[in-house]
Amino acid sequence: MRLSQYFLPTLKENPAEAQVVSHRLMLRAGMISQTAAGSYSWLPMGKRVLSKIEQIIREEQNRVGVHEITMPTLQPDELWQESGRSDAYGKEMLRIKDRHERTLVYAPTAEEVVTDIGRRFMKSYRDLPVGLYQIQWKFRDEIRPRFGVIRGREFLMKDAYTFDVDFESAEKTYYRMFSAYQKTFARMGVAALAVQAETGPIGGTLSHEFHVLAQTGESTLFYDPKIDELKQADTLDLKALTELYAASDELHDPAKCPLKEEELRTTKGIEMGHIFYLGMKYSEAMGLQLQGADGKMFHPHMGCFGIGVTRMVAAVIEANHDEKGMIWPWPVAPFHVGILNMRVKDEATSQICEALEEKLGAMGLQTLYDDRDERAGVKFADMDLIGVPYQILVGPKNAANQQVELKNRRTGEVELLSVDEAVNALKSQQEHFARQVFQG
């Protein structure tokens, strides 16, 4: 992609309305544009990151055997009346009337619809287990939307729902999804901590929140240091991990904490995911019954598993930035490599840039070629703001020797390499992350 032809409306100054780092940088880098309070248009670069995060989530959900569907964003209130949740969300749930005066809700979640699907098509224990998920837009009428896409009104969410024959099976599903979440966040290049959580209006008993660790996070987390030890082990003991103490500031009670204050570790985090064991709360309320192996009817046990997809973009930035801009982890970067032509009117320099653009593209690497006739300082500032993992700087002096400078955006390290050496270094990075995907 050539920057001269790309829609990337960057800003030099920090927007006055942006209170947190991710909001400020997303606006400055031309990733999003505010349409209304808490609602944003996703511009080309923001959409690229959003799509990559979606794809990682999709791959890890598919890997554990849940199937993608799409459910309506507008749902009949009658279904919510059946479950008894029609008033649970209060004014946060947007309600509208259609031309027939039927009440519709703009769904903040979809337990009712998926349970209705279950009772239409599931007949016996032989149909289980079943896992269904969607990546769909949601709406919550926040009284005071803030922090950009971290707490917006309209947001993209992955919500999965599972059906099992009994608690033992549902518990196994829960831990399998727990593991999938750990892998999902690790693939995005962020550290995540699972903490004990309340279930809120969704209901259920067993519940964990997943917080992306970031010093600018809005939640303070308290946790048992044994969690760090477990996560460093070759084989992750998921049940042991979920049983160790970890809680957010909202749930942490020093008087009831099983650990002494000096034994606890603290960190900051942003909630990105929430998983629940729902039990039979919805299958009972909505009359979902299946025939068991003994011929008797039973209500399946359900689980609910969510990830805030739009929120995740902001969380990655909060965990990966410096004073110059964003520092994208390779798997979610809008582009892998930025090529900076330091003198577009120099034929040798432009030839190397164009050859690199073609060669890296053929390898499957996504490049952003800055071919603008701009000052070097402008190009450096824009590329650092955008935060692509690697930059290739091509100027007349080095071009004459078939050399380029390869800059690592995270470390700031710059190497003078031949063109082939630079290509091989980037190929090694590509292969490294490809192995991570394959190994899961």
Side-chain angles (χ1 to χ4, degrees), residues 324-340:
K324 296 178 181 179
M326 298 170 284
I327 307 174
W328 290 109
W330 181 283
V332 297
F335 300 94
H336 300 119
V337 186
I339 302 171
L340 284 74

Side-chain angles (χ1 to χ4, degrees), residues 115-325:
T115 305
D116 184 51
I117 291 171
R119 69 185 177 184
R120 288 171 185 265
F121 301 108
M122 299 175 193
K123 304 302 179 186
S124 82
Y125 72 96
R126 293 187 180 89
D127 296 325
L128 303 183
V130 170
L132 304 171
Y133 78 97
Q134 65 173 352
I135 298 177
Q136 178 64 288
W137 290 95
K138 305 284 194 299
F139 188 91
R140 287 179 187 161
D141 199 0
E142 293 275 358
I143 189 169
R144 190 167 65 90
R146 60 194 186 279
F147 306 148
V149 299
I150 289 180
R151 195 170 293 281
R153 299 169 81 199
E154 187 177 30
F155 53 94
L156 189 62
M157 183 177 179
K158 187 283 299 183
D159 43 322
Y161 306 91
T162 57
F163 301 82
D164 284 282
V165 295
D166 52 29
F167 172 75
E168 290 72 21
S169 300
E171 187 180 38
K172 289 178 183 177
T173 296
Y174 186 91
Y175 289 125
R176 190 164 64 249
M177 293 292 277
F178 188 103
S179 177
Y181 272 46
Q182 296 279 3
K183 293 175 183 176
T184 298
F185 296 125
R187 281 188 58 189
M188 293 179 192
V190 294
L193 180 65
V195 305
Q196 300 166 16
E198 291 184 327
T199 56
I202 288 179
T205 52
L206 184 61
S207 177
H208 286 85
E209 293 175 355
F210 287 81
H211 288 253
V212 168
L213 304 186
Q215 289 307 308
T216 51
E218 54 188 336
S219 299
T220 299
L221 308 177
F222 301 83
Y223 69 99
D224 189 327
K226 291 180 182 177
I227 289 175
D228 289 335
E229 297 172 16
L230 274 179
K231 293 183 79 170
Q232 292 171 3
D234 292 335
T235 303
L236 190 61
D237 187 336
L238 293 176
K239 193 158 189 178
L241 185 63
T242 59
E243 289 173 352
L244 287 172
Y245 182 82
S248 67
D249 48 1
E250 295 177 351
L251 290 180
H252 175 64
D253 183 349
K256 297 179 181 179
C257 181
L259 297 175
K260 296 178 181 177
E261 186 175 350
E262 61 270 20
E263 296 176 312
L264 283 171
R265 287 185 182 164
T266 61
T267 187
K268 289 286 188 179
I270 304 168
E271 184 194 341
M272 287 297 105
H274 204 161
I275 64 177
F276 307 81
Y277 161 67
L278 299 172
M280 296 177 286
K281 174 182 172 69
Y282 295 93
S283 57
E284 281 186 343
M286 298 184 67
L288 169 55
Q289 292 191 83
L290 310 181
Q291 187 176 49
D294 58 1
K296 296 179 180 179
M297 303 302 288
F298 72 96
H299 299 288
H301 292 241
M302 294 174 59
C304 170
F305 309 86
I307 293 177
V309 184
T310 43
R311 234 184 189 221
M312 195 69 222
V313 179
V316 173
I317 295 170
E318 293 287 341
N320 295 276
H321 69 273
D322 62 15
E323 70 283 356
K324 296 178 181 179

Side-chain angles (χ1 to χ4, degrees), residues 338-358:
I339 302 171
L340 284 74
N341 187 330
M342 307 313 298
R343 190 171 299 171
V344 295
K345 294 178 181 177
D346 181 78
E347 186 176 349
T349 301
S350 294
Q351 283 179 350
I352 287 179
C353 289
E354 290 166 10
L356 280 167
E357 182 186 26
E358 184 177 349

